[in-house]
Amino acid sequence: FLGMPVASAQLEELQSQDIFNLRGGLNSTSETTALSPEEASDIQNFILNTSGAIRTRQGFTQSNVTALGATATATALGFYKQSDGDRFIVGVISNGASDSLRKMDYNAAGLPDGVWDDITPTGGLATADDQLADMATATDTLYVAYGDGTRSLLKYTGSGVATELTSLPDATMVELHKRILWLAGRSDARNCVAFSGLDAPETFNNTTCTGSGDYLLVETDDGQVITGLKSALDCLYIFKTKSIWRACGSDRDNLNLEQMVQGIGAASNQSIALINNQFVFKTSEENFVVYNGGLKVENISSKIQGTLDNLNPDRVNKTVATAFDDGAGDEDYYACVSQAGSGTHNQVLLFDTFHKAWTKFEGINCNAMVVSEIGPSERALLFADYGGNLLRYPDGETDNGATIVAFYQSGDLRFPGIATLKAFRDIQVFMRSQGTGKNAGFRYQIDFGTVTVSKTVDLSGTGALWDTAIWDTDIYADQSTVIRRFEVNRQGDFLQWRLEQNGPSNPVLLRGLRIWLEGSGRLGETQ
């Protein structure tokens, strides 16, 4: 029986398998044969729509007119808005032997004007060796905690150049909480949080974290250091290497410091983002978690462990992240990370908070990020690359002129409802039309790549409205939808499919697939 030709075997009833829910995101942990139809075994530059479709991400454009240098990058970016409405983008720029502090004004159109003005304090800034800096606004003034932990705060008021407040404590982290400025990260007191007077961000009665004065010692001599400061949920949250603390109270006289979590801490201050009143951050153990501000911490990266295993462990504490809504109505978590062997961030891991699923971007090489205003109310994500550029996302259909290379690859689908070998007959893809000359690549393979077939999906969208040519091998559907049918006619146990966009076809949108198959009546090995 096993040697009988397909035509002689007892075929079961032809059936269709619809895959119109692609919300599962990346699963690089499980075996590809264990993935559900809505999960991807690999994904690049695709995002998940709220409807369950997938589409290529948008591109980015350059915001600065002239690059600051071939190796210049920002170790911090900040959006600084004053009460009179004046807006600035401020960056700590690392470029060789010395750093600089720069600001970019907004033009009449409500956009950054593209010119980096040097506002470096008199005397200059020595290099911080790519140590990440931090910024906060208090009493209409921007305060910058320089990244090396041995310098006092930098102060910028919107005019002239910045000044260094040498009378203030050294810090790498700065946070405004309840009208008080909080500092942490000094190189000689890694477990100390100093705080200013009320509405007096430049008044500190202790700059050494010894003796009496206004500061908190957060469990000294525990082998940990403070890695994050965040104001949220009416308390100041203090993240350490492997613990989380919070200081609550209405003023300095009734501050209550308590440990909330033990064994889990943040890898970097810049990896922490607040989304829907919950913290999302990267841990020092290289996982991503959601923390509710109380006692609950949830690991959200279990499905992407294979991806995390391919990151550079020496750059865990360089992770930078932010919360950003690209227009879908919900804020997602964007984290810039370094793949194994890379000394720079060359990948973005995006956690979709609506679907609770991951995707990943290539081509966005960001060492610092900030969410800024564009126009009167729109927001954009600005990031700094490693070539002296400030870049705006999302904007356009290319990466500053370069093609966005995107793909989505399923698992090896086994269709457990059919017990025998499957006779795969046809695959239909349902896509959004993109116009004349646009196309996408589609591949499928049976049983782990024994046969790989490549097809082209014409996205011209020339079909007539209400076309009924169901089995036409060309395009059919209405004027906004393209449906393409591919004949397969092969037997096997597993089928894997892959959608590719690597030409001027942005954005590609896949609504779903329909796979036609039947049981072959045969058991065992593939014919």
Side-chain angles (χ1 to χ4, degrees):
F1 181 78
L2 294 179
M4 293 174 61
V6 176
S8 301
Q10 181 63 46
L11 295 177
E12 300 174 8
E13 182 180 356
L14 183 68
Q15 60 179 277
S16 65
Q17 297 282 340
D18 284 357
I19 304 175
F20 284 83
N21 174 7
L22 299 169
R23 302 171 182 172
L26 177 64
N27 185 340
S28 60
T29 300
S30 303
E31 293 290 336
T32 58
T33 53
L35 268 58
S36 61
E38 66 266 21
E39 293 178 322
S41 61
D42 202 358
I43 189 171
Q44 176 175 298
N45 291 330
F46 267 100
I47 62 175
L48 315 176
N49 275 14
T50 54
S51 64
I54 57 171
R55 66 174 174 87
T56 50
R57 67 164 173 84
Q58 292 180 264
F60 57 79
T61 56
Q62 186 170 321
S63 292
N64 54 313
V65 176
T66 304
L68 291 174
T71 60
T73 190
T75 59
L77 288 174
F79 174 67
Y80 171 34
K81 186 174 183 178
Q82 298 179 322
S83 57
D84 61 4
D86 287 345
R87 296 176 289 179
F88 310 88
I89 303 299
V90 179
V92 178
I93 309 299
S94 178
N95 191 14
S98 63
D99 294 353
S100 62
L101 189 65
R102 306 270 179 158
K103 62 95 173 174
M104 188 177 291
D105 300 310
Y106 274 66
N107 59 27
L111 301 172
D113 68 7
V115 179
W116 278 118
D117 302 312
D118 193 345
I119 57 170
T120 306
T122 302
L125 294 174
T127 180
D129 296 326
D130 196 30
Q131 298 301 311
L132 302 178
D134 194 20
M135 302 184 190
T137 301
T139 61
D140 241 12
T141 300
L142 181 71
Y143 294 94
V144 181
Y146 196 52
D148 65 355
T150 63
R151 299 188 64 131
S152 301
L153 288 185
L154 308 180
K155 168 184 175 181
Y156 181 62
T157 60
S159 62
V161 299
T163 56
E164 184 176 0
L165 303 173
T166 56
S167 62
L168 270 59
D170 301 338
T172 59
M173 289 163 269
V174 55
E175 185 77 355
L176 179 68
H177 172 66
K178 290 196 170 183
R179 297 158 53 193
I180 295 172
L181 203 63
W182 304 72
L183 306 177
R186 59 181 297 149
S187 60
D188 59 351
R190 293 294 190 182
N191 292 289
C192 175
V193 180
F195 55 92
S196 74
L198 183 67
D199 293 326
E202 297 175 25
T203 301
F204 287 77
N205 62 21
N206 187 299
T207 61
T208 63
C209 290
T210 58
S212 62
D214 291 337
Y215 63 91
L216 300 173
L217 289 179
V218 187
E219 196 64 34
T220 60
D221 302 324
D222 61 352
Q224 302 180 50
V225 298
I226 294 173
T227 56
L229 286 182
K230 297 297 174 184
S231 173
L233 308 174
D234 204 40
C235 295
L236 179 75
Y237 283 81
I238 305 167
F239 295 80
K240 299 187 72 175
T241 314
K242 291 189 177 182
S243 59
I244 305 174
W245 302 67
R246 72 179 180 188
C248 301
S250 58
D251 57 50
R252 66 177 66 190
D253 295 325
N254 62 6
L255 279 176
N256 179 33
L257 177 66
E258 57 183 338
Q259 182 174 343
M260 306 303 297
V261 175
Q262 185 175 11
I264 297 174
S268 69
N269 187 46
Q270 287 75 6
S271 78
I272 307 168
L274 189 67
I275 304 177
N276 297 327
N277 287 322
Q278 297 187 98
F279 297 101
V280 185
F281 61 93
K282 189 175 187 182
T283 71
S284 55
E285 286 77 28
E286 302 185 57
N287 296 309
F288 288 95
V289 300
V290 172
Y291 170 51
N292 70 351
L295 303 177
K296 182 180 179 181
V297 180
E298 178 186 1
N299 185 351
I300 58 172
S301 58
S302 57
K303 282 191 175 183
I304 61 167
Q305 193 58 53
T307 303
L308 299 183
D309 289 343
N310 193 42
L311 299 183
N312 185 345
D314 295 331
R315 289 183 58 82
V316 172
N317 63 349
K318 306 290 186 185
T319 301
V320 296
T322 192
F324 179 62
D325 176 8
D326 68 354
D330 60 314
E331 285 193 317
D332 296 326
Y333 179 77
Y334 290 70
C336 298
V337 296
S338 303
Q339 293 174 290
S342 176
T344 60
H345 291 327
N346 58 356
Q347 188 176 78
V348 172
L349 300 178
L350 187 158
F351 182 69
D352 186 313
T353 57
F354 182 83
H355 297 301
K356 300 187 184 305
W358 290 91
T359 184
K360 57 185 173 72
F361 294 167
E362 304 285 338
I364 297 180
N365 304 321
C366 42
N367 198 60
M369 293 190 295
V370 66
V371 177
S372 64
E373 291 181 0
I374 300 294
S377 59
E378 184 183 353
R379 301 200 308 167
L381 180 62
L382 298 180
F383 67 93
D385 67 4
Y386 296 89
N389 296 308
L390 182 69
L391 301 144
R392 170 185 167 186
Y393 170 87
D395 192 23
E397 297 182 353
T398 66
D399 284 350
N400 205 27
T403 296
I404 298 174
V405 178
F407 60 81
Y408 180 102
Q409 181 171 293
S410 76
D412 289 289
L413 307 179
R414 60 190 179 93
F415 307 103
I418 299 177
T420 63
L421 289 176
K422 293 87 177 174
F424 296 102
R425 297 306 186 194
D426 295 280
I427 300 175
Q428 291 173 282
V429 293
F430 298 75
M431 302 185 68
R432 183 176 63 191
S433 61
Q434 295 299 126
T436 303
K438 305 292 185 178
N439 60 73
F442 185 82
R443 299 185 185 184
Y444 62 87
Q445 61 186 25
I446 308 297
D447 288 352
F448 316 106
T450 53
V451 176
T452 300
V453 180
S454 298
K455 300 288 185 179
T456 297
V457 183
D458 187 341
L459 300 177
S460 299
T462 56
L465 189 63
W466 307 116
D467 191 337
T468 58
I470 296 178
W471 293 111
D472 189 345
T473 57
D474 263 329
I475 299 165
Y476 72 101
D478 62 30
Q479 293 175 341
S480 65
T481 304
V482 168
I483 305 176
R484 186 65 183 264
R485 167 181 168 260
F486 304 119
E487 292 184 357
V488 180
N489 289 327
R490 291 197 59 85
Q491 283 193 89
D493 280 306
F494 300 91
L495 181 144
Q496 184 180 71
W497 61 271
R498 178 183 173 103
L499 181 69
E500 298 176 342
Q501 185 278 307
N502 55 6
S505 307
N506 280 57
V508 169
L509 185 147
L510 174 68
R511 294 190 167 102
L513 297 89
R514 177 170 293 143
I515 300 172
W516 293 89
L517 71 163
E518 56 195 325
S520 69
R522 299 179 64 245
L523 301 175
E525 65 186 66
T526 303
Q527 176 181 293

